[in-house]
Amino acid sequence: MAVHHQILVIGTGPAGFTAALYASRANLDVAIFEGMQPGGQLTITTEVENYPGFEHGIQGPEMMDIFRKQANRFGAKSIYETVTKVDFSERPFKLWTEREEYTADAVIIATGAKAKLLDLPSLDKYWGAGISACATCDGFFFKGEKIFVVGGGDTAMEEANYLTHFGESVTLVHRREGFRASQIMVERTKKNPKIRIITNAIIDEFLGEEKMGVKKLTHIRLKDTKTGETSVYEAGGCFIAIGHQPNSQIFEEFLDMDENGYLITEGKSSKTKIPGVFACGDVQDNVYRQAVTAAGSGCAAAIDAERWLAEQE
Ligand code: NDP
């Protein structure tokens, strides 16, 4: 027998928790799937300084814990399972985890996105200790440093330009000669006197030091993709900007997505093409990708779902 809830929220970053908070506070019966990474991308960041209301900043995991408690306080139930399959072809909607079948009158998708990273063990070692995947989030921590940015798309160009506000210098490293980024962004980057561009190169290794248990990135080793030659550069920070992967695969059969897999929502709303299924946060936003914008869109999704449910009665 399937377990039924009025609203099922899939995913627990700022978007999912905020949707659950608003929907449960509207007196709806809400459950939220916490999935593989409860708390979402913020649980792999360190300090969050740009979420309004936390004047002195807060650790990402701690912030997500507060979000969870606030949603739970109004009755949203946390389910520590991952949704592996959905059927949105009829109502109530069906969702499956490895353990259970669930049904819902409305579904809010807040499954987020993953930054693509480089497959290097030394990346894990210095992650959060000099390596990041979000300039808006972490650029501030790199004042006066020699910063590297990896990637040749618009994100890499944008991040390189943004990081010149903080770094002593910014070096953009791209694996081939041609750029995927738009011409205007490439021109802007080339014209910026604080940016040096190294093409035909990949990161071969992140190098650093560990003093009294504190790790810190100090250098990176680049490898020329044509000659295989390696060279070591001083680096206080490195931003990986090689794209994001929205967690939208399980919805492929039912929902529209753009060429990169981001779910498409209608106008300013969170409505997908299936009435009663809503999407919010990074799984449908490839532009802003911030905790506060994700939370805002989670709120919008809860309001959309609540109104839609009221119309069905
Ligand atoms: P993209 O997929 O456009 O670019 C990713 C870049 O990373 C490519 O240059 C790619 O190289 C490189 N790359 C991928 N994998 C690796 C790897 N393993 N090692 C080294 N380099 C790698 O992603 P973006 O995040 O830049 O952009 C996503 C979308 O968002 C795009 O449509 C973009 O236009 C849009 N966007 C628009 C902005 C704007 O208009 N202001 C700002 C930011 C994003 P290669 O080219 O060789 O494949």
Side-chain angles (χ1 to χ4, degrees), residues 28-257:
L28 294 164
D29 159 34
V30 182
I32 178 161
F33 289 102
E34 298 244 1
M36 295 284 278
Q37 194 185 4
Q41 293 180 84
L42 278 179
T43 57
I44 54 161
T45 60
T46 48
E47 185 145 28
V48 182
E49 290 190 321
N50 55 3
Y51 199 93
F54 295 94
E55 185 188 355
H56 303 292
I58 183 167
Q59 297 293 309
E62 191 188 345
M63 183 163 108
M64 286 303 93
D65 209 36
I66 296 172
F67 270 54
R68 174 184 296 107
K69 285 181 183 143
Q70 197 176 355
N72 292 159
R73 182 180 149 208
F74 294 103
K77 293 178 199 71
S78 289
I79 303 173
Y80 291 93
E81 293 169 32
T82 302
V83 177
T84 52
K85 199 177 130 192
V86 297
D87 182 356
F88 295 156
S89 64
E90 55 180 9
R91 289 187 223 144
F93 302 118
K94 293 192 186 73
L95 293 83
W96 288 268
T97 68
E98 270 171 15
R99 260 193 252 163
E100 203 78 67
E101 181 183 337
Y102 294 85
T103 54
D105 300 322
V107 173
I108 297 176
I109 300 169
T111 44
K114 283 188 277 289
K116 291 184 194 160
L117 298 175
L118 302 171
D119 189 18
L120 290 171
S122 54
L123 180 138
D124 298 333
K125 188 168 174 189
Y126 296 107
W127 182 258
I131 309 176
S132 165
C134 176
T136 316
C137 317
D138 297 331
F140 185 80
F141 300 121
F142 294 88
K143 279 187 182 160
E145 298 279 9
K146 292 185 168 66
I147 302 176
F148 281 69
V149 176
V150 185
D154 281 328
T155 303
M157 301 294 154
E158 201 168 70
E159 300 218 331
N161 281 283
Y162 175 74
L163 288 164
T164 59
H165 299 306
F166 306 102
E168 178 197 296
S169 66
V170 175
T171 306
L172 183 95
V173 178
H174 181 38
R175 64 182 175 184
R176 58 190 178 95
E177 195 79 43
F179 292 104
R180 191 176 292 272
S182 52
Q183 200 53 37
I184 185 166
M185 295 292 279
V186 175
E187 287 307 316
R188 190 174 304 159
T189 308
K190 283 184 174 166
K191 275 192 197 142
N192 191 321
K194 278 182 95 177
I195 300 178
R196 160 178 63 171
I197 297 176
I198 302 179
T199 52
N200 299 318
I202 53 167
I203 300 219
D204 187 47
E205 205 69 78
F206 294 100
L207 308 164
E209 59 183 25
E210 190 167 346
K211 280 188 190 153
M212 295 197 291
V214 181
K215 290 179 199 138
K216 188 180 178 333
L217 177 78
T218 57
H219 294 81
I220 59 169
R221 192 166 69 218
L222 295 187
K223 185 173 168 186
D224 189 301
T225 51
K226 290 203 161 146
T227 64
E229 255 174 61
T230 58
S231 15
V232 174
Y233 294 82
E234 197 186 321
C238 185
F239 288 78
I240 315 295
I242 61 173
H244 285 78
Q245 180 66 51
N247 301 315
S248 60
Q249 294 82 344
I250 60 166
F251 311 111
E252 244 163 23
E253 193 185 333
F254 302 98
L255 302 178
D256 289 340
M257 11 189 121

